[in-house]
């Protein structure tokens, strides 16, 4: 039921991502993204240029996860190992060939850093702080570095349409604003964990600048 949709369940996906062996499972990682995109969708058409790109990237990954080599796409670790061993990761300019899982996940990974900063900003923000300012600051400190001027401009304009902090916390559907803040406090360490493991994995294999 669309109405019962709560951000608590969405963020919980990032908790189930990490295995005991500190591997990041692609299944829950992508379902977390699907939920976030659904939430973004509910914020209005002004964000559709963002959700379109995010959907395209999640779709690429879901195709790998359901494709012939699906057993290689169980975790980020198995994906990196498989794609590197088989020369599937283009380190030069984009060749026009299919986008690798590694370069695609890298885009989502950078966006996860934005999410982490944004949710932390929301959680610790004052009651009267503006969501658009929190969002712009988080974006400028993360994703914006990788985007051309025109994308940065469009994103910044769209952020102005975000509802005020407390209204935003309420549409997360977790209960009152205070309850949403508490939920964010519980969920954020898991998102940080997923981010940290991925960052280390990609750094180790020199994959942080994939075109
Ligand atoms: C409680 C908070 C929940 C909020 C949920 C929001 C979900 C946001 C999902 C955003 C995913 C963005 C993925 C962007 C990936 C990317 O960087 N793509 C660029 C590079 O791709 P390429 O294949 O060319 O190398 C691409 O150029 C992106 C274009 C679209 C614009 C991306 C702007 C990203 C702004 C992220 C902030 C979302 C603001 C949501 C407001 C709540």
């Amino acid at each position: 039921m669309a109405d019962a949709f709560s951000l608590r369940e969405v963020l919980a996906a990032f908790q189930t991502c990490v295995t005991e062996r500190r591997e990041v499972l692609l299944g829950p990682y992508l379902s977390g993204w699907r939920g976030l995109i659904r939430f973004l969708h509910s914020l209005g058409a002004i964000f559709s240029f963002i959700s379109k790109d995010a959907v395209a990237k999640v779709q690429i990954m879901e195709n790998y996860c359901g494709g012939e080599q699906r057993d290689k796409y169980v975790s980020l670790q198995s994906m990196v190992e498989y794609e590197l061993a088989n020369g599937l990761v283009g380190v030069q300019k984009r060749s026009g060939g299919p986008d690798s899982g590694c370069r695609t996940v890298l885009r989502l990974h950078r966006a996860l850093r934005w999410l982490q900063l944004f949710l932390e900003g929301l959680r610790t923000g004052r009651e009267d702080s503006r969501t658009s300012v929190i969002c712009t600051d988080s974006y400028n400190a993360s994703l914006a570095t990788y985007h051309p001027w025109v994308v940065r401009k469009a994103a910044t304009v769209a952020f102005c349409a975000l509802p005020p902090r407390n209204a935003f916390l309420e549409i997360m559907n977790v209960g009152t604003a205070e309850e949403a803040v508490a939920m964010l406090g519980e969920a954020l360490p898991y998102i940080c964990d997923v981010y940290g493991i991925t960052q280390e994995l990609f750094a180790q294999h020199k994959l942080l600048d994939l075109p």
Side-chain angles (χ1 to χ4, degrees):
M1 238 170 49
D3 287 339
F5 161 72
S6 152
L7 216 64
R8 187 192 296 278
E9 279 76 57
V10 172
L11 297 182
F14 294 101
Q15 179 175 351
T16 47
C17 265
V18 179
T19 69
E20 273 173 25
R21 295 169 55 203
R22 313 276 301 151
E23 290 184 325
V24 177
L25 297 175
L26 266 163
Y29 185 84
L30 296 174
S31 78
W33 276 109
R34 278 277 177 206
L36 287 170
I37 293 165
R38 213 172 127 208
F39 181 78
L40 185 62
H41 212 78
S42 73
L43 294 176
I46 192 165
F47 297 101
S48 55
F49 77 103
I50 301 175
S51 54
K52 245 194 192 153
D53 187 70
V55 166
K57 294 196 166 34
V58 170
Q59 191 62 58
I60 291 174
M61 292 314 302
E62 285 174 348
N63 290 346
Y64 282 126
C65 291
E68 266 176 41
Q69 302 295 336
R70 63 171 72 87
D71 56 319
K72 311 293 193 312
Y73 289 86
V74 171
S75 68
L76 291 187
Q77 285 76 3
S78 64
M79 172 191 81
V80 166
E81 190 187 320
Y82 166 71
E83 290 196 342
L84 283 179
N86 290 277
L88 298 170
V89 184
V91 284
Q92 300 298 318
K93 240 172 63 132
R94 283 175 84 181
S95 56
D99 287 339
S100 66
C102 287
R103 71 90 57 197
T104 306
V105 165
L106 178 62
R107 269 61 188 177
L108 294 173
H109 169 65
R110 290 168 177 167
L112 197 67
R113 173 74 182 150
W114 162 80
L115 183 74
Q116 187 189 324
L117 296 175
F118 175 62
L119 296 180
E120 184 60 16
L122 268 183
R123 187 181 79 82
T124 56
R126 286 165 35 151
E127 219 169 281
D128 60 352
S129 45
R130 287 168 54 194
T131 315
S132 58
V133 173
I134 299 173
C135 190
T136 307
D137 289 350
S138 320
Y139 176 71
N140 286 339
S142 58
L143 266 181
T145 321
Y146 308 101
H147 291 163
W149 182 85
V150 57
V151 171
R152 292 203 304 266
K153 191 77 203 155
T156 317
V157 169
F159 296 159
C160 294
L162 289 169
R165 174 178 179 272
N166 272 23
F168 191 88
L169 287 170
E170 276 160 27
I171 52 174
M172 285 165 48
N173 237 327
V174 179
T176 62
E178 291 73 29
E179 287 167 324
V181 164
M183 181 281 284
L184 288 178
E186 288 158 26
L188 266 162
Y190 296 106
I191 294 173
C192 292
D193 206 24
V194 172
Y195 182 84
I197 298 174
T198 312
Q199 180 72 12
E200 202 185 312
L201 175 72
F202 274 56
Q204 202 181 357
H205 294 280
K206 302 196 168 38
L207 297 173
L208 286 170
D209 295 308
L210 290 180

